[in-house]
């Protein structure tokens, strides 16, 4: 909930006081919540929680991470054997190929989830694996530089600090 409130604060360029006041006012008006404590105390506590620097930084990092036209959601590989038949009327087959279908799901800028498929042969799978291995090595190198600089590294919902 706190992270959602901070994201709303940044998305709509609201001040901390405005967010805290709106929440306190909602608590005050909500008939289901019986408040016996001064609303000013709630507003102060909400402001204190929402002003935790590490949470603000994490939310900003999350916004940067997802501020793209398309964001990866999931992937799956389906693998088949396809028979290779002779030409003409003779439907004899004593050979086959192995074919992989890479399904990639992504979230578009409107929030909808879409997917596409790419056919791969075994060489393509190896080339893709090399590319992903290289990306991991680059990320590892950059994380090491951040650690040496004693800078926080925000990794998909996790905060790593030195």
């Amino acid at each position: 909930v706190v992270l959602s409130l901070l994201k709303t604060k940044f998305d709509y360029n609201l001040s901390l006081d405005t967010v805290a006041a709106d929440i306190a006012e909602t608590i005050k008006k909500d008939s289901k919540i019986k408040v016996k404590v001064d609303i000013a105390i709630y507003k102060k506590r909400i402001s204190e929680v929402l002003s935790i620097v590490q949470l603000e930084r994490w939310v900003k990092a999350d916004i940067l991470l997802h501020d793209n036209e398309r964001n990866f959601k999931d992937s799956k590989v389906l693998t088949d054997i396809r028979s290779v038949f002779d030409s003409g009327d003779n439907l004899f087959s004593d050979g086959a190929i192995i074919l992989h279908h890479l399904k990639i799901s992504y979230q578009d800028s409107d929030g909808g989830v879409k997917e596409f498929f790419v056919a791969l042969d075994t060489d393509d799978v190896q080339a893709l694996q090399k590319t992903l291995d290289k990306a991991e090595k680059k990320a590892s190198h950059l994380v090491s530089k951040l650690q040496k600089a004693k800078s926080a590294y925000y990794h998909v919902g996790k905060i790593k600090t030195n």
Side-chain angles (χ1 to χ4, degrees):
V1 173
V2 173
L3 298 178
S4 295
L5 292 172
L6 280 170
K7 186 170 181 335
T8 300
K9 174 187 176 285
F10 293 123
D11 284 348
Y12 295 98
N13 199 24
L14 301 172
S15 71
L16 185 60
D17 286 338
T18 300
V19 175
D22 288 350
I23 294 168
E25 190 62 31
T26 300
I27 291 171
K28 183 178 177 182
K29 288 181 179 178
D30 192 330
S31 61
K32 296 175 190 171
I33 302 172
K34 304 297 179 200
V35 179
K36 294 184 180 184
V37 180
D38 186 2
I39 290 297
I41 293 172
Y42 278 106
K43 183 179 172 185
K44 181 178 182 254
R45 289 180 182 163
I46 292 165
S47 291
E48 288 171 354
V49 170
L50 293 181
S51 63
I52 296 173
V53 174
Q54 291 84 354
L55 291 177
E56 283 189 1
R57 288 180 184 158
W58 189 92
V59 169
K60 285 182 179 181
D62 188 63
I63 289 168
L64 284 172
L65 179 67
H66 294 97
D67 191 17
N68 302 293
E69 188 175 340
R70 294 178 191 93
N71 289 295
F72 179 83
K73 294 298 281 178
D74 195 17
S75 65
K76 184 176 185 177
V77 175
L78 307 170
T79 303
D80 302 334
I81 295 176
R82 297 275 178 100
S83 296
V84 178
F85 292 99
D86 290 341
S87 300
D89 293 336
N90 184 7
L91 294 180
F92 179 74
S93 170
D94 68 350
I97 62 167
I98 295 176
L99 188 61
H100 308 277
H101 294 276
L102 173 61
K103 173 185 164 185
I104 296 180
S105 301
Y106 64 93
Q107 186 171 13
D108 64 17
S109 57
D110 296 330
V113 176
K114 296 182 179 173
E115 60 191 27
F116 66 92
F117 292 82
V118 178
L120 307 165
D121 65 18
T122 302
D123 292 339
D124 297 331
V125 170
Q126 290 172 354
L128 181 58
Q129 185 63 54
K130 283 182 184 176
T131 300
L132 294 174
D133 289 345
K134 187 174 181 179
E136 280 187 337
K137 286 178 185 175
K138 286 179 178 181
S140 185
H141 176 74
L142 294 173
V143 167
S144 145
K145 288 202 173 275
L146 288 170
Q147 288 172 340
K148 286 178 185 172
K150 299 190 186 303
S151 182
Y153 165 53
Y154 301 93
H155 175 77
V156 192
K158 298 176 185 173
I159 300 173
K160 296 182 179 183
T161 56
N162 297 325

